[in-house]
Amino acid sequence: MTPYRYRAPDEDSGRWAGFQFRPGDIVISTRSKSGTTWMQMICALLVFKTPDLPHPLTEISPWLDWTGAPVQSLFAHLGAQRHRRFFKTHTPLDGVPIDPRASYIVVARHPLDAAVSLYHQGDNIDRERLRELTGASAPDPDEPEKTREPVRDWLLDWIAEKADPREHLDSLPGFMHHLADAWSRREESNVLLVHYEDLSADLDAKMGRVADWLGVDLPAAERSELVRAASFETMKRNSAALAPNQGGIFKDTGRFFRRGRSGSGTDLLTAGELDEYRERCAALAPAGLLEWLHRGR
């Protein structure tokens, strides 16, 4: 099937057209703030077998859909790589070419936690720099600047928004569309679903599972060092080399790794509001996915 073309102000999944896959390529597909960089780092450690990466993570593992970099230059950069390649996308798998030679990893996070993290990331983006890189138009100088809602009010609006999931991927419908599509493919041999909370609960075991699935050896002698390098604390400490700060779009790379904990979304809502959230989710995704995704929360 022809992949659906997703577009947003700073990304375009049409950039995948003409991309030349190689055997062993790894595509990391996630919604925003769901563990993208974490899985990129895990793959980097499994590929290079050392925490001392040869280049910043975003250079080794670029974001193909991002319109801030010329696509042909990006393809040339990836074509010159000689290691096993791995790259990220925020596009659902129905918008990405599915090549039998490639492996596809989808990372899922509790939607409320991802939404709260997305809210806070909004404060850390240099909007002027982002517009400069992507060619977006500047806001009307005569239009009054909008005051941002408090996080709890914003989260309630995010839950209630009835957006077209394919037009607004960072909405709750878009979030569920991304994961429901991956859930429908979970039995395919080259698709792996990984839960953010499994990474948090037992990173060693989950890295081992990813390594086995990819057919990569995780050397016993270096295992503890590699797992430690993939921990949230270590990655936050090395944020300058690991945050996806293409073109300097973040005001502070350290703030990209804010907390990484679970429960920040559910903690903001009342019992009644959580019931309303679950009702919305039930209309957007299959029961089996929601049971796996929510983990009793």
Side-chain angles (χ1 to χ4, degrees), residues 119 146-158:
Y119 172 90
K146 294 180 181 177
T147 303
R148 202 165 189 221
E149 292 179 291
V151 61
R152 184 178 181 282
D153 296 339
W154 180 91
L155 183 60
L156 289 171
D157 288 342
W158 185 83

Side-chain angles (χ1 to χ4, degrees), residues 48-100:
F48 292 104
K49 305 288 196 299
T50 175
D52 299 319
L53 303 182
H55 304 287
L57 185 59
T58 192
E59 292 181 21
I60 298 169
S61 177
W63 179 12
L64 266 71
D65 317 71
W66 190 59
T67 58
V71 67
Q72 292 306 321
S73 298
L74 180 60
F75 284 2
H77 171 71
L78 287 168
Q81 290 183 342
R82 293 293 170 257
H83 57 78
R84 186 173 181 179
R85 303 185 303 181
F86 52 101
F87 18 82
K88 84 172 191 181
T89 180
H90 290 314
T91 299
L93 294 185
D94 66 354
V96 177
I98 303 299
D99 191 292

Side-chain angles (χ1 to χ4, degrees), residues 2 9 39 41 64 75 83 112 127 145-146 159 165 183-184 205 241 244 247 252 256 265-266 270 273 287 290:
T2 302
M39 185 53 66
M41 184 59 173
L64 266 71
F75 284 2
H83 57 78
L112 296 180
R127 301 290 175 181
E145 188 174 347
K146 294 180 181 177
I159 293 168
W183 185 256
S184 72
D252 180 353
F256 176 79
T266 52
T270 66
E273 289 163 348
L290 296 179

Side-chain angles (χ1 to χ4, degrees), residues 46 59 95 112 119 123 138 140 152 203 207 262 290-292:
L46 295 176
E59 292 181 21
L112 296 180
Y119 172 90
D123 293 330
D140 185 343
R152 184 178 181 282
L203 182 57
M207 278 185 69
S262 299
L290 296 179
E291 183 179 356
W292 176 80

Side-chain angles (χ1 to χ4, degrees), residues 7-254:
R7 288 187 175 108
D10 62 341
E11 55 189 298
D12 179 0
S13 69
R15 286 161 58 96
W16 283 89
F19 177 70
Q20 299 298 310
F21 282 92
R22 290 181 193 161
D25 280 347
I26 304 166
V27 179
I28 299 164
S29 168
T30 64
R31 282 292 354 108
S32 306
K33 305 308 293 181
S34 292
T36 319
T37 307
W38 204 353
M39 185 53 66
Q40 286 176 283
M41 184 59 173
I42 289 170
C43 288
L45 293 165
L46 295 176
V47 167
F48 292 104
K49 305 288 196 299
T50 175
D52 299 319
L53 303 182
H55 304 287
L57 185 59
T58 192
E59 292 181 21
I60 298 169
S61 177
W63 179 12
L64 266 71
D65 317 71
W66 190 59
T67 58
V71 67
Q72 292 306 321
S73 298
L74 180 60
F75 284 2
H77 171 71
L78 287 168
Q81 290 183 342
R82 293 293 170 257
H83 57 78
R84 186 173 181 179
R85 303 185 303 181
F86 52 101
F87 18 82
K88 84 172 191 181
T89 180
H90 290 314
T91 299
L93 294 185
D94 66 354
V96 177
I98 303 299
D99 191 292
R101 298 169 295 176
S103 300
Y104 297 80
I105 301 176
V106 179
V107 186
R109 188 180 186 186
H110 193 295
L112 296 180
D113 293 339
V116 169
S117 188
L118 184 66
Y119 172 90
H120 288 291
Q121 177 167 285
D123 293 330
N124 194 32
I125 294 176
D126 184 333
R127 301 290 175 181
E128 185 175 344
R129 178 57 177 158
L130 183 58
R131 286 193 294 270
E132 178 186 338
L133 289 167
T134 60
S137 57
D140 185 343
D142 296 327
E143 196 171 299
E145 188 174 347
K146 294 180 181 177
T147 303
R148 202 165 189 221
E149 292 179 291
V151 61
R152 184 178 181 282
D153 296 339
W154 180 91
L155 183 60
L156 289 171
D157 288 342
W158 185 83
I159 293 168
E161 184 181 2
K162 292 179 172 60
D164 181 335
R166 286 183 155 181
E167 297 299 322
H168 300 278
L169 283 173
D170 279 330
S171 65
L172 179 58
F175 197 102
M176 287 303 178
H177 170 75
H178 191 139
L179 296 182
D181 174 74
W183 185 256
S184 72
R185 303 170 190 263
R186 67 190 185 281
E187 301 299 331
E188 297 177 16
S189 61
N190 63 338
V191 175
L192 177 68
L193 269 68
V194 176
H195 202 298
Y196 187 100
E197 290 193 17
D198 288 339
L199 294 173
S200 299
D202 193 339
L203 182 57
D204 185 292
K206 185 52 66 173
M207 278 185 69
R209 185 189 171 207
V210 172
D212 290 344
W213 186 78
L214 290 171
V216 174
D217 178 44
L218 186 55
E222 292 88 13
R223 182 165 181 145
S224 61
E225 180 186 23
L226 297 179
V227 172
R228 185 165 54 252
S231 69
F232 181 84
E233 294 74 20
T234 302
M235 291 184 67
K236 184 176 178 66
R237 194 161 54 245
N238 296 327
S239 62
L242 300 180
N245 194 29
Q246 302 98 320
I249 62 171
F250 291 132
K251 299 172 185 175
D252 180 353
T253 56

Side-chain angles (χ1 to χ4, degrees), residues 269-288:
L269 304 181
T270 66
E273 289 163 348
L274 283 170
D275 286 341
E276 291 176 9
Y277 159 75
R278 295 186 189 102
E279 286 179 14
R280 281 233 64 205
C281 289
L284 295 169

